[in-house]
Amino acid sequence: LRMKTMVDFGAAAFALVVLIGLHTFRGTLQEAFPINHHLEIVVACLITINLARSRGGLGVDIAAALTFTTAALTLESGLLVWVVAVGAWVVGWRGISGRGIALLTACLLAYMFLRFGYLSKGLPVLTDRNSGYLLERLEPDQIQQRFGAQAYWFHAYNVVVSATSVLFAEPQSGVFIAVRGWLQRGPMVQLLLPVISSVLTTALMVWVALRSARLRAFDDTERYFFVFIAVLAVNAAISYAYTKDEIVSPAGAFYALAAFGAVRQLLLVSGHWRPRARMAGTLLLCALAALWTVRSVGVHYKLRWQAT
């Protein structure tokens, strides 16, 4: 994030706690690997958006191709690097040139040929992993027994809930934990805090996007939003086989970037509002910042608990 004013700084501070507090980020840290592969994909996607916002040149195009190759050969979700590059190019960030996009597309086609042609590696099947469904987690044999004849329904469920998980913090890894907690009379404050903060933040993003569309304004705020939508759509689509918070961690990172743009826009326009409206906007932003700060502190608690 390029911070040039105090408004930018305030919006960036908000985006930082969103990034860390989102449940998709926690999943990039808590698995027992020296370096979590899902975190590598998040870093690769952020490298790509920085390359797209650079001054460009042959070196940038080559760096983008190397980033894609490294990410794609690490995890399937590394293909999102191509989505980030193309999305950034479409909205006007041309640090990765048209030549660079063509190079990335050639790398993507080579990956497809290598995987599906030369190595004959197919797509995941129902029996590969356990996955969440509604209020429970299903083992592979349970998934096969319940959805073997209607796999398309299970795949559609995974895609939809992967997207809503980023936008509304529910469900998480395919399980509606807030609903399950309410049915089991669990600690509702703890369960509802992520949902409320995510719903309000997503609503703020939608308001900013609709306002910009009405005013026909298009700057970095809208660019972040549209790239996030592209990443979210594809990230959810590649989660069709099973749901896992870590898989949508790249979309979670771009959700934080979109939050930066939305809060920055709110801070800029609220100065022209009437006093009561300005006070309401201030209170909303303070409440959101507090909620997300609690969520980000919770990441450290979860990691220390798991280590113990």
Side-chain angles (χ1 to χ4, degrees):
L1 299 176
R2 297 174 181 174
M3 294 173 288
K4 299 180 180 179
T5 66
M6 287 303 295
V7 168
D8 296 341
F9 179 79
F14 183 90
L16 180 61
V17 291
V18 171
L19 171 68
I20 299 173
L22 203 63
H23 60 281
T24 59
F25 181 80
R26 185 177 70 241
T28 64
L29 301 177
Q30 66 183 12
E31 287 195 353
F33 297 111
I35 299 178
N36 191 296
H37 294 321
H38 292 283
L39 182 58
E40 295 178 45
I41 303 305
V42 172
V43 172
C45 290
L46 294 177
I47 288 173
T48 305
I49 197 68
N50 276 278
L51 292 173
R53 298 187 68 201
S54 68
R55 295 182 178 180
L58 179 61
V60 169
D61 293 340
I62 294 175
L66 291 174
T67 302
F68 172 85
T69 303
T70 303
L73 296 180
T74 301
L75 283 179
E76 293 172 343
S77 54
L79 301 181
L80 288 170
V81 167
W82 181 86
V83 178
V84 173
V86 173
W89 190 87
V90 169
V91 299
W93 284 325
R94 302 293 172 84
I96 302 174
S97 65
R99 171 189 57 200
I101 297 298
L103 180 59
L104 284 173
T105 304
C107 292
L108 175 64
L109 295 175
Y111 171 88
M112 295 297 183
F113 170 76
L114 178 65
R115 173 170 180 163
F116 298 109
Y118 183 74
L119 297 177
S120 299
K121 297 291 184 180
L123 295 172
V125 297
L126 292 178
T127 56
D128 277 354
R129 299 284 185 93
N130 60 14
S131 186
Y133 183 73
L134 296 180
L135 304 180
E136 59 183 335
R137 291 202 65 81
L138 301 177
E139 295 300 322
D141 57 338
Q142 294 175 304
I143 298 174
Q144 180 64 38
Q145 182 179 3
R146 187 177 299 188
F147 300 103
Q150 296 178 323
Y152 62 87
W153 171 256
F154 182 67
H155 295 327
Y157 174 84
N158 291 337
V159 172
V160 172
V161 300
S162 294
T164 59
S165 178
V166 176
L167 295 172
F168 308 118
E170 275 283 292
Q172 295 185 18
S173 293
V175 178
F176 287 87
I177 58 174
V179 177
R180 186 177 65 183
W182 176 71
L183 293 175
Q184 298 175 351
R185 298 183 179 181
M188 293 309 297
V189 173
Q190 175 184 341
L191 295 172
L192 288 179
L193 186 149
V195 178
I196 293 172
S197 55
S198 289
V199 168
L200 291 177
T201 304
T202 300
L204 176 61
M205 294 181 192
V206 173
W207 174 78
V208 169
L210 293 176
R211 179 182 179 277
S212 299
R214 186 176 67 253
L215 299 177
R216 296 183 179 181
F218 196 82
D219 57 12
D220 280 2
T221 298
E222 288 70 34
R223 291 187 177 97
Y224 277 127
F225 182 78
F226 285 114
V227 173
F228 159 64
I229 292 299
V231 173
L232 177 64
V234 179
N235 206 169
I238 64 177
S239 304
Y240 77 95
Y242 61 95
T243 57
K244 195 176 182 182
D245 291 341
E246 297 91 303
I247 298 177
V248 289
S249 54
F254 279 81
Y255 180 87
L257 293 178
F260 164 79
V263 170
R264 179 179 180 274
Q265 194 68 18
L266 176 63
L267 292 173
L268 290 174
V269 302
S270 61
H272 306 289
W273 291 352
R274 294 179 179 179
R276 289 185 179 180
R278 192 182 312 133
M279 179 63 68
T282 301
L283 291 175
L284 172 64
L285 197 54
C286 288
L288 276 177
L291 291 173
W292 280 107
T293 300
V294 172
R295 290 179 69 175
S296 66
V297 171
V299 174
H300 302 284
Y301 170 78
K302 287 281 189 178
L303 294 177
R304 293 174 70 89
W305 174 84
Q306 183 175 355
T308 302

